[in-house]
Amino acid sequence: MENNLILPALILVPFIAGFICWLVDKFDQQLPRWIALIGMLITFGLGIALWQNGTFSYSMGGQTPSWAAEFYLPWIQTLGISIHLAVDGLSLLMVLLTALLGVLAVGCSWGEIQKNVGFFHLNLLWSLGGVIGVFLAIDLFLFFFFWEMMLVPIYFLIALWGHKGSNGRSRVYAATKFFLYTQIAGLIMLIGILGLVVYGYMMTGMIGFDYNYLMAVAHRLPPEVAYAFMLCFFIGFAVKLPVFPLHGWLPDAHAQAPTAGSVDLAGILIKTAAYGLLRFVIPFFPAASAQFADIAIILGLIGIFYGAFLAYQQTDMKRLLAYTSISHMGFILLAIYAGNILTFQGLMIMMLAHGLSSAALFIMSGQVYERLHTRDLRLMGGLRGQLQYLPFFLMFFVAALVGVPGLGNFIGEFLILMGSFNTYPTFTIIAAVSLVFAGLYGLILIHKALFGVPNPEQQQHYTSPLKDLSAREVSILMLCAVGLVWLGIYPQTFLDVSQSSMQWIVNSYMPVQEVVEVVQQTATQLEHVEMQ
């Protein structure tokens, strides 16, 4: 396939736009905002062009994914490293989500960020460029390069422009905690990557980091070695997802991050981990993944209830939303390890819908803070009677987050639960019960913020009457609302695009999963015979 220049452009446009933002900052404070917005709109436009021109079909029995577009350029040839980018339905939808939320992140920080505007947009756009690189890179050295590179700008976003948390912890503390967690996890994943490269060299006498080459190496590994390498990859992705008990960085990072940083973290960054599990862990280590499935799903179920329970207890609006992310990511693990086409397609819709709904709620949290100068739910109340647009949007996005039918999150959860019931009926029923808890924390958030009377202690700190949402703020929220309704009413648009890549992952995983189940059943029967 000939080189498709749109792929490197998708990564380079945010990098170049971010650099220009930094350069023009000293001339005008507004200029970086416009450059960043135009840069992300161009990126989104390139993604749409790729969607229009790409063919997302599946070749039955193919050993490798069917890429809709590829870009290849030799880089460090002695080490077998190349700039190899490729896109299929899975990565294209993730790139489009990243570009769209990038536009929203620039828009929501328009009034919030007043100092070092150019450097802020440099960090924001470079983190987005790094994320797009993660979704497109299929050379594992390049993938790891982008994986680590996207963390540094996020660190600066939290450390320099963050808020002081309600528990008194500083933004630098939150940024450092985030960086340490993700850096250590990245190093564990690097052990897995280098282990595959070394084994490949022992088998073939060739050093290489290419996706197809390392997948072939992984399939020829001894079972215990494959399991160890699979765990290295899993831990690397599990911290970013985050999976219980590796989630410690998330609540502080969210609570202290600026609004655009929270949109980046909740909407995009945690999706890179789910993408990594689908792109690398399942196809590279199908047998080890099937063996590990029960443990992964149990961790996911603990996360679902643990996240919901802690969300229910929070008084800070952003911390409450952060714990809901931990809860929702438990469904992602159930979907990945149940491993059939229904759960994978449900996972795709859920990632898109969660990205839009959580991003919108974090944007609204910033809008509420701008008006009330607090995120403490105990100091709120009575917003419904004082504002026209804000209460409607808050109720809409909370309804989306908790999975009300007609919106995207419901479709995602429904497909995941329906697909996983045959394989894991008990786990699926337990996961379905958790949806009641989601409704509970959603109702608490709405009740405390919108109903009752305004807190008299807090009311003196803000202007009366309160300023309702501006046209810019309503436009940002309308984009998310339209996306969620589209996902809820006509998800087929997106299911058609991701069908081919999901089917390929299912085909690489399902036969092995069935073999592992038969082996486990046989072992159980033998134990019964021995006992008798």
Side-chain angles (χ1 to χ4, degrees), residues 207-288:
I207 299 175
F209 285 83
D210 192 70
Y211 183 82
N212 297 335
Y213 167 69
L214 288 183
M215 181 160 56
V217 169
H219 288 173
R220 291 167 61 189
L221 291 175
E224 60 280 2
V225 177
Y227 195 84
F229 287 168
M230 182 276 297
L231 281 179
C232 289
F233 276 84
F234 178 81
I235 291 167
F237 296 128
V239 168
K240 190 71 70 67
L241 195 56
V243 173
F244 174 89
L246 307 171
H247 64 281
W249 62 271
L250 185 75
D252 284 328
H254 270 313
Q256 272 83 287
T259 306
S262 293
V263 169
D264 208 347
L265 283 168
I268 307 164
L269 236 73
I270 57 182
K271 308 300 182 290
T272 59
Y275 170 83
L277 289 168
L278 281 172
R279 177 68 78 220
F280 299 104
V281 175
I282 300 293
F284 277 37
F285 312 105

Side-chain angles (χ1 to χ4, degrees), residues 55-59 65-66 88-90 341 345 495-506:
T55 50
F56 301 97
S57 58
Y58 173 66
S59 55
S66 305
D88 61 358
L90 166 63
I341 191 66
Q345 289 286 58
L495 294 175
D496 287 344
V497 175
S498 59
Q499 171 78 21
S500 60
S501 39
M502 294 305 188
Q503 188 62 57
W504 178 79
I505 299 168
V506 168

Side-chain angles (χ1 to χ4, degrees), residues 7 49 70 106 194 200 261 325 374 376 382 421 428 432 479 515:
L7 299 184
E70 273 186 82
V106 173
L194 293 178
S325 286
T374 183
D376 193 331
F421 185 77
T428 307
L479 268 176
V515 168

Side-chain angles (χ1 to χ4, degrees), residues 417-436:
L417 293 172
M418 196 164 73
S420 55
F421 185 77
N422 276 343
T423 324
Y424 298 102
T426 311
F427 290 156
T428 307
I429 292 164
I430 294 168
V433 170
S434 75
L435 298 175
V436 177

Side-chain angles (χ1 to χ4, degrees), residues 387-402:
L387 300 165
Q388 184 180 354
Y389 298 119
L390 191 143
F392 163 75
F393 279 113
L394 190 61
M395 284 198 270
F396 177 87
F397 290 119
V398 168
L401 192 72
V402 302

Side-chain angles (χ1 to χ4, degrees), residues 63-80:
Q63 294 300 303
T64 60
S66 305
W67 306 116
E70 273 186 82
F71 177 86
Y72 181 84
L73 190 69
W75 187 14
I76 309 169
Q77 289 172 294
T78 49
L79 295 177

Side-chain angles (χ1 to χ4, degrees), residues 10-126:
L10 282 165
I11 300 168
L12 288 172
V13 168
F15 282 141
I16 294 166
F19 188 65
I20 295 169
C21 288
W22 181 56
L23 290 179
V24 302
D25 185 26
K26 58 185 172 187
F27 303 116
D28 183 6
Q29 289 279 298
Q30 289 299 100
L31 209 51
R33 304 184 204 279
W34 285 106
I35 291 167
L37 183 62
I38 292 164
M40 289 319 299
L41 285 170
I42 290 170
T43 308
F44 187 67
L46 289 171
I48 295 291
L50 211 51
W51 187 340
Q52 296 294 324
N53 301 331
T55 50
F56 301 97
S57 58
Y58 173 66
S59 55
M60 291 301 289
Q63 294 300 303
T64 60
S66 305
W67 306 116
E70 273 186 82
F71 177 86
Y72 181 84
L73 190 69
W75 187 14
I76 309 169
Q77 289 172 294
T78 49
L79 295 177
I81 297 168
S82 58
I83 298 172
H84 194 179
L85 309 172
V87 70
D88 61 358
L90 166 63
S91 47
L92 177 67
L93 289 176
M94 290 289 97
V95 167
L96 285 170
L97 178 69
T98 305
L100 178 61
L101 293 186
V103 172
L104 301 183
V106 173
C108 73
S109 56
W110 208 275
E112 182 184 353
I113 303 301
Q114 298 299 334
K115 61 169 188 175
N116 299 328
V117 179
F119 190 51
F120 171 83
H121 286 96
L122 167 85
N123 284 294
L124 179 62
L125 266 65
W126 279 34

